[in-house]
Amino acid sequence: MPRRHKGKRHNNQKRQRAQDEVESRRVFEAADTMEEEPPSSSSPVLEDNPESSSATETSSTAQESCRVPPIYIPSSVALYTGSEDGQDEEYSWSYEVLPPENSCCDPVTVEVTVLEKFLLYKYRVKQPILWEDMLSIVNEKYHRYFADILKKVSESIEVLFAADLKEVDSTRRSYDLVSKLKLPNNGRVRPGRGLPKTGLLMNILAVIFLNGNRASEEEIWAFLNAMRVFPGRKHYIYGEPRKLITKDLVKLRYLEYRQVPDSDPPCYEFLWGPKTYAETNKMEILKFWAKVNDTVPSAFTPQYEEALREEEERAQARGAAWAGTGTRGRKYSMATSTRVSTPSKL
């Protein structure tokens, strides 16, 4: 019996390796195909979800006593949207998933799209990203633009997934996409393969900050619906989003999800959790949000001023702590010097 299980696991592993090899070949073949036939331009369209409309009406009725201040929706949130049949993060990548904008007019944009998909595929299957592979997937006649192409790819992935392309092994020139926050499994949250959930969390943290450091459940879902992320509908990157934001990220202490005090009928709100305060700060979240919206942090004046005050308070606290440590060190040094210079009595 144990041998049979071991053989089954071995066969599954062989089958998975074979699938990975096929996918890798497709990635390189698709790069050549896209050079010959650039994909048509398509602009992301935010569609209403008929299932969520009734849920939204019910939610808004139940939360009439909650605040509903305006929320900011980033301009690029709809680039990565779930498929109609609700495929999840185990989706096997195809080149139709990431439609480049205006790529038919700009062959360099095609190269950016190809390289971006390649990096995300490597991340998803947990394979090392080698410099030579990145270079080889870009058409040779555009190698002179490679630095600019890689910069654009890195910026796009940073904005959409809150992950940075970093060198992890200088001898092999190996790279990886590293989550901006220390979410489990390098941003995947759950064990196994998949794409980072950090981008979704960073956007939610920004919505909370921009709405007075707390955001009602209605505000959060209004924002997520604009991203075509709906409660109860499985998303191919985020899985079931309600579970992700009200259970998983709460359990990990990145978010707080609680009933609004004295609300009748009861409504709920989101706040930053203790892990968020430990790993980032308001200025970093504001910088990320500004980059998503292609602007500067100071464009959000009240929040920018609040983030500056927080930075000043942290600097003062560090200065006070350093001064306290220095004073204790000087006192210890003087006491030691006094003991050494005092002649012993015979």
Side-chain angles (χ1 to χ4, degrees):
M1 192 72 174
R3 288 182 180 176
R4 193 177 306 150
H5 286 308
K6 186 180 290 186
K8 186 180 293 186
R9 281 198 303 272
H10 181 67
N11 290 336
N12 289 339
Q13 291 171 355
K14 285 179 65 178
R15 186 160 52 249
Q16 186 62 61
R17 282 196 298 271
Q19 290 174 355
D20 289 345
E21 289 173 4
V22 170
E23 287 292 335
S24 295
R25 285 198 299 272
R26 284 178 181 171
V27 167
F28 284 95
E29 290 168 3
D32 296 331
T33 304
M34 291 181 75
E35 284 301 321
E36 298 169 7
E37 300 178 8
S40 60
S41 171
S42 60
S43 300
V45 179
L46 300 182
E47 300 176 356
D48 293 331
N49 182 353
E51 296 176 8
S52 68
S53 60
S54 59
T56 305
E57 289 172 9
T58 306
S59 173
S60 61
T61 304
Q63 296 188 22
E64 288 175 355
S65 60
C66 294
R67 298 174 302 111
V68 190
I71 63 172
Y72 298 90
I73 303 296
S75 56
S76 59
V77 292
L79 278 178
Y80 287 73
T81 55
S83 59
E84 292 301 318
D85 57 355
Q87 288 171 309
D88 64 7
E89 62 266 25
E90 294 304 315
Y91 177 73
S92 188
W93 283 93
S94 70
Y95 270 80
E96 286 72 36
V97 178
L98 306 180
E101 297 182 359
N102 302 321
S103 59
C104 60
C105 306
D106 182 9
V108 173
T109 304
V110 175
E111 301 301 327
V112 171
T113 303
V114 171
L115 184 57
E116 182 174 346
K117 275 201 58 67
F118 176 71
L119 297 188
L120 292 174
Y121 167 74
K122 286 289 189 178
Y123 174 92
R124 188 182 72 83
V125 298
K126 296 186 173 182
Q127 290 180 356
I129 301 170
L130 301 178
W131 177 268
E132 59 189 34
D133 289 341
M134 290 193 289
L135 194 61
S136 64
I137 203 145
V138 172
N139 190 298
E140 190 173 346
K141 63 183 178 181
Y142 298 112
H143 278 190
R144 56 181 172 164
Y145 304 117
F146 182 75
D148 187 50
I149 290 169
L150 185 60
K151 182 174 181 287
K152 289 180 179 179
V153 169
S154 301
E155 289 173 349
S156 176
I157 291 175
E158 180 187 5
V159 164
L160 292 166
F161 295 100
D164 299 313
L165 181 66
K166 292 185 178 181
E167 187 176 52
V168 293
D169 187 342
S170 57
T171 57
R172 296 181 61 205
R173 300 201 75 180
S174 176
Y175 294 76
D176 196 6
L177 297 176
V178 180
S179 169
K180 284 183 177 293
L181 297 176
K182 298 176 183 177
L183 289 169
N185 199 8
N186 192 19
R188 297 176 182 89
V189 176
R190 305 182 186 99
R193 298 177 173 185
L195 289 168
K197 280 62 173 182
T198 319
L200 183 74
L201 173 58
M202 294 276 283
N203 277 295
I204 290 174
L205 295 174
V207 171
I208 292 170
F209 178 34
L210 285 150
N211 285 277
N213 296 307
R214 62 188 66 228
S216 71
E217 189 169 18
E218 185 182 28
E219 291 164 359
I220 293 297
W221 284 113
F223 169 75
L224 294 179
N225 287 354
M227 294 175 65
R228 295 180 66 189
V229 176
F230 303 102
R233 176 185 284 191
K234 193 173 185 181
H235 192 274
Y236 82 102
I237 295 176
Y238 309 126
E240 206 295 289
R242 184 183 292 280
K243 179 179 181 296
L244 177 64
I245 69 172
T246 64
K247 302 287 186 185
D248 298 338
L249 295 176
V250 171
K251 185 177 180 181
L252 291 168
R253 303 174 71 208
Y254 285 96
L255 292 175
E256 284 189 19
Y257 176 64
R258 69 184 189 186
Q259 183 176 336
V260 177
D262 303 321
S263 58
D264 185 23
C267 57
Y268 294 82
E269 64 182 1
F270 288 90
L271 296 87
W272 285 19
K275 283 288 284 294
T276 294
Y277 283 105
E279 294 181 16
T280 189
N281 56 65
K282 291 175 181 177
M283 185 60 79
E284 290 302 315
I285 294 297
L286 195 60
K287 286 178 180 177
F288 174 79
W289 185 259
K291 189 171 287 189
V292 167
N293 285 278
D294 195 23
T295 185
V296 293
S298 57
F300 308 96
T301 307
Q303 291 78 21
Y304 183 68
E305 292 174 353
E306 182 179 344
L308 282 177
R309 285 195 299 272
E310 185 190 66
E311 283 196 331
E312 289 173 4
E313 290 169 2
R314 280 200 311 272
Q316 289 172 2
R318 284 195 300 268
W322 181 85
T325 304
T327 302
R328 285 196 298 272
R330 285 194 298 274
K331 287 180 178 178
Y332 175 78
S333 177
M334 289 174 64
T336 305
S337 176
T338 301
R339 285 198 299 271
V340 171
S341 60
T342 302
S344 58
K345 295 181 181 179
L346 298 176

